Amino acid sequence: MSELSVVEGGAEDGAPVPDSEENRRQVLYWRLLARLFDPEEQASLESASVAVVEDIGLPVALLDPAASVDSVVQRHPELAAEFDGLMTPEPDADGERDRAAEVRRAALASKVLLNVFSTGSGTVTAEQLARWQSDAGWLERALGCRPGDLRGGRGGAGRAGAGGGGGVSPTGTGVGTPAPDLSRLIPEIGPELGSIEAGLVQRMHLREVLADPALASRLTPSMSLIEQLLRDKNNLSGVALANAKALIRRYVDEVTEVLRTQVEKASVGELDRSVPPKRVFRNLDLDRTIWKNLTNWDPEEERLYVDRLYYRHTSRKTTPQRLIVVVDQSGSMVDSMVNCTILASIFAGLPKVDVHLIAYDTQALDLTPWAHDPFETLLRTQLGGGTDGTVAMALAQPKIAEPRNTVVVWISDFYEWRTDELFESMAAIHRSGAKFIPVGSVTSSGRGSVNPWFREKFKDLGTPVISGHIKKLVHELKTFLT
């Protein structure tokens, strides 16, 4: 393509004229902006973009809004590696820009961005939601994350290179050229993706989808979908209810696996050398056994005679601990409710940890009997309503039998009715010697707001609010419980 009048025609006399590669890149991005704000095609931009894509050897399917990224990659598998880390490139050592490669990256990035941020209007089908979730996963991979990370879904913290496809470094682009590092925008992009997904779920005729096993099987569990299922579960019956429960269980199992890995990565207490090691083969300390018996080495026979076997200590010092988790189940805290219910069940499975779980809005519910099973717990929650933490405090305080061995985790946005009364009760728990951990949000994306009055009060008390990634809470709990 020799010229693009769309870009060059407006240049004034004496003004620098962009080179052809810069023209091509601008055409692709102007087309992207035009399609994001107006679904109608702009003929000049569309024809120019087709010429650019064909000229650089990419498939024209990249410009088809109806084609998912999955479908493009299936037909052109060599592009998968280029999407991974597409928007987190490493700069060239010499600082020079490879303009031709930037045009290629602009074409690929435009495809992902248009598919994810242009969602149209009207009713959404199960297939459309599944396609969007897949495209959002490709955007997350392009930003150097695993699918699900930014939306607060199933993915854990990590990079695409650790679990994404393509087999390339997450910071590689497939073409090795410089570009603005968009990973700094992740804190803003993550919540936005979650908001778009929630909007798509709300536009579905969810009950009709759930009543059809074929359509329900196409749904991919996500936090937005689980929220809708939990809110509507009392209005479902028969096949629809069974499909809803199956989706909730799938999501719970997937998130449980991620959180369990995070919990198990932390230490589990110091070795207790007062307890004799178990004399079993798996505990055999071979290096120490050889070292201690070296005096029995027979050089003539070239044989080591072992008088005594040495074993490793594996028993660890643990103190029985009580973990009381209080979760605000009002409408703004659904993500936290799901994550903390699952987290409580994981800690309930640890030795010598006594877990109690309380959920509240304007009424409180003691979910301790089901704390070991997050699926059953979530089915018993009633999401929505106002917030009155004093009713939860009435259930929590009697459970603090030994303050020094108790940690109370309170998850809420702390927009309460009786602020002074509730805070004084929380301060009393702190003064008693129990560990009190106020948490503003327990999501995978870290999004959440906290009442400024409570935030300042907790800071003055010496127990600042934890707000952000769920890993922060995991770390705090493991530090105390071990």
Side-chain angles (χ1 to χ4, degrees):
M1 186 174 63
S2 60
E3 69 178 50
L4 294 171
S5 58
V6 175
V7 178
E8 291 184 349
E12 299 178 359
D13 292 341
V17 178
D19 61 38
S20 61
E21 303 299 350
E22 185 67 15
N23 283 344
R24 295 176 177 187
R25 194 168 67 94
Q26 288 189 33
V27 164
L28 293 170
Y29 282 137
W30 277 115
R31 176 200 176 258
L32 169 64
L33 290 173
R35 293 301 294 262
L36 284 174
F37 289 101
D38 186 353
E40 294 296 324
E41 291 186 0
Q42 300 294 322
S44 59
L45 287 174
E46 291 296 328
S47 60
S49 297
V50 169
V52 169
V53 169
E54 289 180 335
D55 199 47
I56 61 178
L58 287 173
V60 179
L62 285 173
L63 301 176
D64 181 4
S68 67
V69 178
D70 269 342
S71 67
V72 173
V73 171
Q74 286 171 3
R75 283 177 276 174
H76 306 275
E78 71 279 1
L79 295 180
E82 294 192 52
F83 280 108
D84 278 327
L86 178 68
M87 299 178 186
T88 59
E90 292 180 345
D92 283 351
D94 57 9
E96 292 294 325
R97 296 166 57 195
D98 186 336
R99 295 180 184 275
E102 287 186 354
V103 175
R104 187 178 182 88
R105 183 160 52 253
L108 296 170
S110 295
K111 175 59 178 174
V112 180
L113 293 171
L114 183 61
N115 279 28
V116 171
F117 291 101
S118 179
T119 58
S121 59
T123 303
V124 173
T125 66
E127 291 89 342
Q128 288 173 323
L129 177 62
R131 175 195 134 163
W132 183 91
Q133 290 172 326
S134 174
D135 287 335
W138 281 104
L139 175 59
E140 289 165 316
R141 287 171 61 164
L143 289 167
C145 303
R146 286 198 297 259
D149 279 3
L150 302 186
R151 286 167 285 156
R154 299 164 303 285
R159 291 302 195 185
V168 297
S169 167
T171 55
T173 65
V175 289
T177 56
D181 186 353
L182 299 184
S183 60
R184 60 187 175 83
L185 298 178
I186 285 178
E188 289 77 26
I189 293 175
E192 184 63 25
L193 290 179
S195 177
I196 294 174
E197 185 175 44
L200 292 171
V201 171
Q202 290 174 359
R203 285 160 52 189
M204 293 181 67
H205 291 162
L206 191 54
R207 295 182 191 177
E208 296 177 13
V209 172
L210 292 172
D212 186 331
L215 292 177
S217 66
R218 296 189 181 102
L219 291 174
T220 300
S222 65
M223 182 58 72
S224 300
L225 181 60
I226 298 308
E227 176 180 348
Q228 292 298 318
L229 294 176
L230 291 175
R231 291 186 186 281
D232 205 34
K233 64 181 185 296
N234 292 331
N235 299 316
L236 301 175
S237 61
V239 174
L241 180 59
N243 287 328
K245 288 183 176 181
L247 286 165
I248 295 172
R249 184 173 288 283
R250 276 176 58 194
Y251 186 81
V252 166
D253 290 344
E254 291 170 358
V255 176
T256 298
E257 188 62 29
V258 173
L259 296 184
R260 182 179 288 114
T261 300
Q262 294 178 7
V263 171
E264 291 174 350
K265 281 182 179 178
S267 62
V268 291
E270 298 178 357
L271 290 174
D272 187 353
R273 300 192 179 277
S274 66
V275 179
K278 288 187 177 181
R279 301 173 68 85
V280 295
F281 179 76
R282 68 173 179 272
N283 291 341
L284 179 63
D285 190 337
L286 189 59
D287 290 341
R288 189 180 180 206
T289 296
I290 294 174
W291 177 258
K292 290 290 188 178
N293 288 279
L294 279 179
T295 55
N296 299 327
W297 170 254
D298 188 331
E300 293 183 0
E301 297 185 11
E302 295 185 353
R303 180 173 298 179
L304 179 66
Y305 292 91
V306 178
D307 291 334
R308 179 182 174 185
L309 296 174
Y310 291 84
Y311 296 87
R312 298 184 185 89
H313 286 80
T314 56
S315 178
R316 296 182 180 272
K317 296 179 180 180
T318 59
T319 303
Q321 306 283 11
R322 174 162 291 186
L323 171 61
I324 303 172
V325 181
V326 183
V327 189
D328 177 351
Q329 66 172 353
S330 61
S332 59
M333 299 297 293
V334 176
D335 201 342
S336 293
M337 181 72 218
V338 173
N339 277 285
C340 283
T341 296
I342 296 171
L343 192 61
S345 73
I346 295 171
F347 279 100
L350 297 179
K352 299 186 178 181
V353 179
D354 180 23
V355 175
H356 295 254
L357 180 61
I358 298 170
Y360 75 98
D361 42 36
T362 55
Q363 297 181 341
L365 181 64
D366 190 345
L367 297 169
T368 301
W370 304 278
H372 66 285
D373 188 339
F375 172 72
E376 291 295 333
T377 300
L378 289 173
L379 291 183
R380 285 169 171 78
T381 59
Q382 298 294 333
L383 303 178
T387 309
D388 185 2
T390 59
V391 296
M393 183 62 74
L395 288 180
Q397 281 181 321
K399 295 177 179 290
I400 305 175
E402 299 180 17
R404 296 285 177 188
N405 293 328
T406 302
V407 57
V408 178
V409 179
W410 197 290
I411 302 102
S412 175
D413 54 12
F414 297 99
Y415 285 94
E416 294 281 345
W417 288 358
R418 291 178 270 189
T419 56
D420 292 309
E421 180 182 348
L422 179 59
F423 178 76
E424 183 52 41
S425 299
M426 293 172 170
I429 291 176
H430 175 69
R431 290 193 296 267
S432 73
K435 174 74 170 178
F436 185 81
I437 304 177
V439 183
S441 65
V442 186
T443 69
S444 298
S445 63
R447 188 180 193 178
S449 63
V450 176
N451 185 333
W453 186 88
F454 268 94
R455 186 184 289 279
E456 289 302 315
K457 285 288 188 179
F458 285 132
K459 185 177 180 181
D460 294 340
L461 189 64
T463 58
V465 174
I466 294 177
S467 216
H469 202 283
I470 193 169
K471 276 189 170 182
K472 293 182 181 180
L473 180 57
V474 172
H475 174 74
E476 286 288 330
L477 292 177
K478 290 295 293 184
T479 299
F480 181 83
L481 295 174
T482 60

